[in-house]
Amino acid sequence: MKRYDLIVIGAGPSGLSAAAEAASKGLRTVVFDENERPGGQLFKQIHKFFGSKEHKAKVRGYNIGKQLLQEAADAGVDVVLNAPVEGLYPDHEVTVRIGDSLRHFKGDAVIAATGASENMAAFKGWTLPGVIGAGAAQTMMNLHGIKPGNKVVMLGSGNVGLVVSYQLLQAGVEVAAVVDALPHVGGYGVHAAKLARTGVPFYLSHTIVEAEGEDRVKGVTIAEIDNKFNFIPGTEKHFDADTICVAVGLSPMSQLLKMAECDVPDDPSKGGQAPRVGAFGETSVKGVFAAGDVSGIEEASSAMIEGRITGLAAAESLGFITKQELEAETAGLENQLASLRRGMFAPGNKGRKITETDEGIALSESLLTQGYVADDEIARFPGVTKQRGIHPVIECTQNIPCNPCQDACRKGCIRIGKDITSLPAVDTDSQCVGCGLCVAACSGQAVFLVDEDYEEGYASVTLPYEFLPLPETGARGTALDRSGAPVCEAEVVEIRTSPAFDHTNLLTMKVPADMAMTARFFRNQKTESEAC
Amino acid sequence: MMNDRSRDIGPFVPAPDDDMIVCRCEEITKGEIRRAVHDGMYTVTEIRRWLRAGMGLCQGQTCSKLVKGIAARELGISPALLEPASSRAPMRPTEMKVLGREEGACA
Amino acid sequence: MKQKSEVLIIGGGIIGCATAYYLTKKGVDVTVLEGSDFIGNGGSSRNGGGVRQSGRDPRELPMAMWGIRNLWPGLSEELGADVEYVQEGNLRLGKTEKHKEILTGLTDAAVSCGLEVKMIDEDTVKEINPHLSDEVTSASWCPTDGHANPMAATLAFYRKARELGAQFYTGVPVSELRTVRGRVREAVTPDGIFEADKILVAAGYGSRAIAGTVGIDVPMTERKAECIVTEAQPRMFEQMLGTADADFYGHQTAHGSFVFGGMSGFEAFMENDGTTTSTSYGASCTCRGIMKYFPELASAKIVRTWAGWIDACADGVPVMSRVEEVPGLYLACAFSGHGFGIGPAAGYNLAELIADGETTVDLTPFRYDRFKPVI
């Protein structure tokens, strides 16, 4: 039987990272993946990632995927695509469908990096065509170039629901509502805010009563629920929609590990049945490791680090590196992982209601219940200052592990400090030059440049803009506030694009001076009724 | 863990959404699953063997969490107390001619 | 919790569940202990669903014939659940002259026991099942054989017995039997001692260790058996199938899927590692076997494979017996991979044996003490 030092199952972020790391230590490594393209979910992640430099923060997911593939290829990893692993047997044997045959391989070590699958929610009509997973919608749009529908209701306000909603808008799909049974937005506030300011309404403590339609979705009725998840009569709201996206969480795809008799307990904090693993991803079966979402649902950034750690552990288990080398090399990775697992959205805080930031500032209740920070709440955050001349306004109000804005500013205007989860603070002593690098660097699109002295009676607001077509300089339209409500007329006075901005365009609009701290989005007159 | 199959879980009470399909591969409804629990099928495995819920093409990938939730609610226990569905090869439906054409098999 | 009953059954497979049902029907107070977490978790939910008489050992044939005549046709109605019993015959297929010889031998033996079974030629085989390949040249044909759904049948017995008041406990493995004043009386479990006037051990291969605690041994071994199931297919045929070569057996289920079992040849050398994981090559062997007989199934997709452990008896037929030397003890085990088809009849007669002392079908051939040294 053909034998490898290491067989990696899954060519997503963790699998490729593991394979690259192991191969760099000299392991003959193969990666099998059932898809026709490598990268797992990375290549459909068109948004910029959070984190710090070593986490590849502010790099878009698909570019991280390209870098990772290159690294694996350079290390000599054999990536076999269209190759579903059908079984994982004793003695580390795998069976793989390749072409029209079933092939048997053995690996001295096996790393399962099989990722996750989307959860479904059952409601009346959920089996109608038009009800799809949010991840599926993302695949259709971003990998296959197909619009999943024209008008979507998103069920789920976690990061997947929020990110995919935004990408739906970018693809020209109308998002009628984001609905969540929980009383608070589940994902990052910045993701919610960038949706809300385009006019997408949030319905928390609501869920779907019914998907309407005979042979496909034609509409959706939602209603408010009480704390026992029962509908409250009289709170029904109807939306015309042709698509319902379901973003109610992910489950580890641990089937192969279960088949291999690994200990796979049901752990709600990990999203479902995830293998019990040690510090290096080792399962209860010797020589079988797990990394990435299969060992507990997290982000791609942590999956990549886990993959590297596990790849190194496999190398150590087979004598390619020493225990000391393993410990030395994984120490830094463990620190990176630990920093990603901090902040309000840390796995340990799952289900816990947090009311104030680490700095002791009360969280925006409006952000949690409506998706945007209310006008009377925004001033209390350290990124929001009042200054003469142009200056950044950072509407980042939750402790999340992310700091590219600090590095982006060469003038020292933005300070996060050593603790990656601290809220960014604007230093009023440093002089902003209006370069806009911080605006483009913020993965949460939460940085604006405001100049209240732009012109007599007018202020300028520079905002990140990721929609096409770009409005032209001189275009007139409407400024929307953080809730997406039209507040005043606006004129585009500058559009900046640059390779350094990596597809985040900087749109500067002129608004009446008293709107400087209110206007946060621009809607072009010409495209008022349609998304662009 | 000892499981008393005669313990009182209360009567089966019909619900308005009993006709909602839960396992779409095998078209098993929520009402059938709830009924099965009252018929003594106290585990996901028995529900699957009795009704075929989760036995279809997707092998429970879509519905297993839903079935678990419905059964747990009917039994008045946490879903985490119900066993996970077992996993069997092949992970993806595979034609007989492909399974039959092996390379590198050894007993 | 109730720890005392008239009859305690150890093993919640089809034998235990059917016996419990027929006992409760007689008004007997029954408790069933299942060691695993699930009812019917051994061979009862892992077999190919054959309800056959043909191909059976002559000692077992009267029980099989009686069950098919008296129980199977009315079972769905009796249990109030569709057990998917189909009585459309059994074809045992041959491709070579040697196969034909084997089939003829089996047929002659069955005929002498009064079973309606006959050898048929190539054309007749094709008439009965036009999907068969040209490689098939002979078959034995037993029109009264058939198949049913093992999971549905086992759970239907359980459901009905439970409804009639039988107590079932799962996750309660019995580690030891104890006698009190010369009679078997107690079953020791992690959840305490269960007491009964009579104890039936029907726990598959596990029966050996349990009966061993009161000094009774049944010569049997464990053998892995593997099955595969296809996605639902258009209806093709209703017969139960087997082959002279034993390379596969199976049928098309009511659901439309085909359930097939097969052999790789290494079964006798596999040690029970405590799992029911299929081997990496078993399904492939079965697929190759089937495709020679049914080329048109080549594109049917296999959605799942599974395995189970057969309690294979030294002489290939079960033990269903009162154990006189340990008063109060009854054994029903070593069904050797063909317990499902005779399951209802076994349960019916065991209930009679336990409750009345007399049985409808003679159980003498299944006595526990029939194994004598041959040299």
Side-chain angles (χ1 to χ4, degrees):
Chain A
M1 198 173 295
K2 172 124 179 149
R3 196 155 176 145
Y4 289 92
D5 293 321
L6 174 64
I7 293 174
V8 178
I9 307 168
S14 64
L16 286 176
S17 302
E21 204 64 50
S24 76
K25 302 297 176 199
L27 281 76
R28 281 185 311 119
T29 303
V30 67
V31 184
F32 295 114
D33 193 290
E34 64 179 329
N35 297 294
E36 60 180 350
R37 301 187 217 190
Q41 308 306 306
L42 269 178
F43 283 90
K44 66 188 200 190
Q45 307 308 329
I46 58 172
H47 57 284
K48 293 176 175 176
F49 277 34
F50 290 85
S52 64
K53 246 187 269 168
E54 64 261 34
H55 303 123
K56 301 188 197 287
K58 81 172 181 160
V59 180
R60 294 184 190 273
Y62 62 90
N63 283 324
I64 297 175
K66 283 185 198 164
Q67 293 169 14
L68 205 48
L69 263 185
Q70 191 57 49
E71 186 191 343
D74 291 347
V77 173
D78 193 4
V79 179
V80 186
L81 300 170
N82 293 311
V85 171
E86 302 290 5
L88 175 54
Y89 297 89
D91 300 329
H92 306 161
E93 179 182 349
V94 299
T95 51
V96 191
R97 181 199 179 134
I98 296 175
D100 279 341
S101 68
L102 186 77
R103 300 200 203 171
H104 297 250
F105 300 96
K106 273 184 186 170
D108 286 349
V110 175
I111 296 177
T114 42
S117 63
E118 297 197 87
N119 293 341
M120 263 295 142
F123 44 81
K124 193 171 178 212
W126 77 285
T127 53
L128 280 174
V131 180
I132 57 172
Q138 201 184 27
T139 303
M140 288 171 80
M141 291 188 289
N142 300 347
L143 292 182
H144 303 293
I146 295 164
K147 272 166 71 172
N150 290 313
K151 195 165 179 182
V152 170
V153 168
M154 177 66 67
L155 179 64
S157 70
N159 279 334
V160 172
L162 299 176
V163 165
V164 174
S165 291
Y166 191 75
Q167 293 175 0
L168 284 161
L169 294 175
Q170 290 177 306
V173 179
E174 195 180 338
V175 178
V178 173
V179 179
D180 201 312
L182 295 174
H184 291 119
V185 169
Y188 287 178
V190 288
H191 280 320
K194 72 187 193 195
L195 272 177
R197 65 176 172 258
T198 71
V200 174
F202 281 69
Y203 293 92
L204 280 305
S205 296
H206 277 69
T207 194
I208 294 176
V209 178
E210 182 178 2
E212 294 140 17
E214 287 298 310
D215 50 5
R216 61 160 298 115
V217 174
K218 296 226 167 71
V220 187
T221 298
I222 66 168
E224 199 173 337
I225 50 171
D226 61 22
N227 55 10
K228 289 195 175 107
F229 285 82
N230 295 313
F231 291 115
I232 302 173
T235 61
E236 293 83 2
K237 292 152 196 88
H238 176 270
F239 300 93
D240 289 329
D242 59 8
T243 305
I244 297 171
C245 284
V246 180
V248 294
L250 303 172
S251 294
M253 288 218 285
S254 52
Q255 288 90 341
L256 280 167
L257 293 167
K258 286 199 288 176
M259 183 187 160
E261 300 289 332
C262 296
D263 184 16
V264 183
D266 199 334
D267 184 348
S269 76
K270 291 182 170 184
Q273 295 164 50
R276 211 182 289 285
V277 291
F280 301 111
E282 64 276 30
T283 69
S284 62
V285 173
K286 195 171 185 302
V288 177
F289 299 80
D293 273 355
V294 70
S295 58
I297 304 298
E298 281 185 88
E299 308 282 335
S301 308
S302 38
M304 288 186 277
I305 302 169
E306 276 182 22
R308 289 190 189 281
I309 292 172
T310 309
L312 288 166
E316 192 274 333
S317 75
L318 301 178
F320 284 81
I321 59 172
T322 65
K323 188 100 195 155
Q324 288 72 23
E325 285 170 312
L326 171 69
E327 277 159 12
E329 293 213 31
T330 52
L333 293 167
E334 298 281 4
N335 286 337
Q336 285 180 29
L337 199 51
S339 76
L340 279 180
R341 287 176 177 161
R342 298 189 51 247
M344 292 177 174
F345 294 85
N349 283 333
K350 220 172 185 176
R352 195 186 297 169
K353 169 103 163 61
I354 293 172
T355 54
E356 60 176 42
T357 70
D358 294 348
E359 294 81 358
I361 304 167
L363 285 180
S364 161
E365 190 60 22
S366 167
L367 181 66
L368 293 173
T369 55
Q370 290 168 68
Y372 59 90
V373 181
D375 287 349
D376 61 352
E377 295 172 320
I378 195 70
R380 64 182 183 237
F381 296 97
V384 181
T385 61
K386 211 164 160 51
Q387 294 179 50
R388 291 204 63 86
I390 195 156
H391 63 280
V393 170
I394 308 181
E395 304 194 350
C396 180
T397 66
Q398 295 171 324
N399 301 111
I400 57 175
C402 189
N403 67 5
C405 55
Q406 174 175 257
D407 297 334
C409 183
R410 284 158 201 167
K411 295 289 175 184
C413 297
I414 303 172
R415 197 181 61 249
I416 287 180
K418 265 198 209 150
D419 194 342
I420 188 177
T421 58
S422 297
L423 294 183
V426 169
D427 183 351
T428 48
D429 293 336
S430 301
Q431 187 54 55
C432 171
V433 294
C435 70
L437 281 167
C438 58
V439 179
C442 176
S443 310
Q445 299 189 19
V447 181
F448 303 85
L449 296 179
V450 173
D451 184 354
E452 285 168 62
D453 309 307
Y454 180 72
E455 262 179 24
E456 185 62 37
Y458 286 96
S460 75
V461 176
T462 301
L463 53 101
Y465 194 84
E466 294 194 356
F467 296 94
L468 292 174
L470 280 177
E472 283 172 19
T473 305
R476 287 176 178 279
T478 308
L480 310 182
D481 68 6
R482 294 182 188 86
S483 77
V487 286
C488 60
E489 285 187 1
E491 180 191 342
V492 175
V493 293
E494 193 180 16
I495 292 281
R496 284 186 275 173
T497 58
S498 153
F501 297 163
D502 187 14
H503 299 89
T504 303
N505 309 289
L506 270 46
L507 182 154
T508 305
M509 62 181 176
K510 187 173 91 174
V511 293
D514 61 343
M515 287 292 130
M517 283 308 290
T518 307
R520 285 296 175 268
F521 196 66
F522 176 78
R523 185 190 283 163
N524 209 332
Q525 228 132 39
K526 283 179 214 152
T527 58
E528 193 146 333
S529 59
E530 59 186 84
C532 37
Chain B
M1 193 180 64
M2 186 168 84
N3 194 349
D4 176 358
R5 300 312 186 92
S6 300
R7 72 175 187 274
D8 186 15
I9 59 164
F12 174 82
V13 182
D17 60 353
D18 275 345
D19 61 349
M20 181 175 73
I21 285 178
V22 173
C23 168
R24 53 197 306 176
C25 296
E26 297 295 324
E27 300 189 341
I28 310 298
T29 65
K30 185 173 180 180
E32 289 174 283
I33 293 164
R34 294 177 56 239
R35 182 79 251 176
V37 173
H38 287 272
D39 277 341
M41 313 306 160
Y42 283 11
T43 64
V44 174
T45 302
E46 284 155 10
I47 291 168
R48 193 180 66 230
R49 289 172 180 166
W50 182 239
L51 297 175
R52 296 193 57 87
M55 259 195 198
L57 271 180
C58 89
Q59 288 288 292
Q61 183 91 47
T62 313
C63 73
S64 66
K65 264 193 179 171
L66 300 172
V67 172
K68 213 171 172 175
I70 293 165
R73 200 170 180 162
E74 219 55 38
L75 289 164
I77 60 173
S78 152
L81 288 175
L82 283 175
E83 88 291 358
S86 60
S87 298
R88 302 288 191 211
M91 292 297 134
R92 300 287 178 261
T94 306
E95 296 88 342
M96 278 200 190
K97 60 184 171 196
V98 175
L99 283 181
R101 194 179 296 128
E102 288 177 285
E103 281 178 40
C106 295
Chain C
M1 192 192 70
K2 204 180 103 187
Q3 304 259 20
K4 260 186 208 172
S5 50
E6 284 175 63
V7 175
L8 181 68
I9 297 176
I10 300 167
I14 190 162
I15 304 300
C17 291
T19 309
Y21 165 67
Y22 290 112
L23 279 171
T24 50
K25 217 178 145 190
K26 290 172 184 287
V28 178
D29 168 33
V30 180
T31 295
V32 181
L33 302 180
E34 164 59 36
S36 81
D37 289 331
F38 317 112
I39 297 295
N41 199 41
S44 301
S45 62
R46 299 171 193 277
N47 68 82
V51 181
R52 285 180 300 102
Q53 308 149 101
S54 59
R56 288 201 188 253
D57 189 289
R59 289 169 290 173
E60 206 177 293
L61 202 47
M63 172 84 85
M65 288 167 68
W66 182 85
I68 283 169
R69 220 170 285 140
N70 297 286
L71 295 180
W72 277 109
L75 200 58
S76 292
E77 201 184 331
E78 167 141 23
L79 299 178
D82 187 4
V83 301
E84 298 172 13
Y85 176 58
V86 173
Q87 192 175 20
E88 294 282 343
N90 182 82
L91 280 173
R92 189 170 297 261
L93 308 167
K95 293 189 292 191
T96 64
E97 272 308 305
K98 190 163 170 248
H99 292 162
K100 198 173 174 179
E101 270 171 45
I102 296 170
L103 294 172
T104 307
L106 283 168
T107 302
D108 291 347
V111 167
S112 67
C113 293
L115 181 67
E116 185 199 340
V117 56
K118 60 181 181 190
M119 288 300 295
I120 54 174
D121 63 15
E122 195 177 338
D123 292 344
T124 318
V125 180
K126 286 283 179 60
E127 255 169 53
I128 294 169
N129 191 325
H131 302 278
L132 283 162
S133 78
D134 292 338
E135 285 190 48
V136 176
T137 51
S138 68
S140 69
W141 171 237
C142 176
T144 54
D145 280 350
H147 50 78
N149 180 330
M151 297 172 286
T154 305
L155 290 169
F157 272 118
Y158 155 68
R159 172 174 166 268
K160 197 74 182 171
R162 178 180 170 273
E163 204 178 291
L164 293 178
Q167 297 271 327
F168 284 82
Y169 299 97
T170 51
V172 185
V174 171
S175 57
E176 188 188 349
L177 298 179
R178 284 184 192 159
T179 57
V180 174
R181 284 195 278 275
R183 281 187 67 87
V184 73
R185 177 82 207 159
E186 298 177 346
V188 182
T189 80
D191 292 288
I193 290 173
F194 286 77
E195 275 186 63
D197 302 330
K198 294 171 181 174
I199 298 178
L200 168 68
V201 181
Y205 184 78
S207 306
R208 190 170 194 179
I210 296 168
T213 62
V214 285
I216 298 298
D217 191 36
V218 174
M220 54 177 163
T221 186
E222 283 181 285
R223 199 152 290 182
K224 192 177 248 185
E226 301 187 44
C227 280
I228 59 177
V229 61
T230 69
E231 62 189 329
Q233 297 291 305
R235 287 230 75 79
M236 279 171 64
F237 55 85
E238 305 300 329
Q239 309 95 41
M240 183 72 198
L241 301 170
T243 69
D245 212 16
D247 41 5
F248 87 93
Y249 58 89
H251 68 278
Q252 187 168 21
T253 68
H255 164 261
S257 53
F258 283 89
V259 170
F260 290 119
M263 310 280 272
S264 65
F266 297 105
E267 286 76 10
F269 308 98
M270 291 174 194
E271 257 184 72
N272 189 344
D273 56 358
T275 76
T276 52
T277 308
S278 308
T279 61
S280 65
Y281 48 83
S284 297
C285 294
T286 308
C287 288
R288 285 192 289 273
I290 292 158
M291 287 188 292
K292 286 182 212 148
Y293 297 86
F294 292 102
E296 66 189 272
L297 284 176
S299 296
K301 284 179 176 156
I302 301 301
V303 297
R304 191 175 176 93
T305 64
W306 67 89
W309 291 94
I310 287 173
D311 46 348
C313 195
D315 64 359
V317 294
V319 168
M320 288 180 262
S321 181
R322 183 184 2 235
V323 181
E324 287 83 357
E325 62 191 277
V326 184
L329 181 64
Y330 297 80
L331 280 180
C333 58
F335 280 81
S336 304
H338 26 92
F340 173 66
I342 60 169
Y348 185 97
N349 283 278
L350 286 161
E352 288 182 323
L353 179 71
I354 294 166
D356 316 327
E358 301 285 319
T359 60
T360 303
V361 177
D362 178 20
L363 296 184
T364 312
F366 309 114
R367 282 196 56 83
Y368 78 99
D369 55 359
R370 68 177 185 267
F371 308 97
K372 310 292 182 201
V374 287
I375 298 165

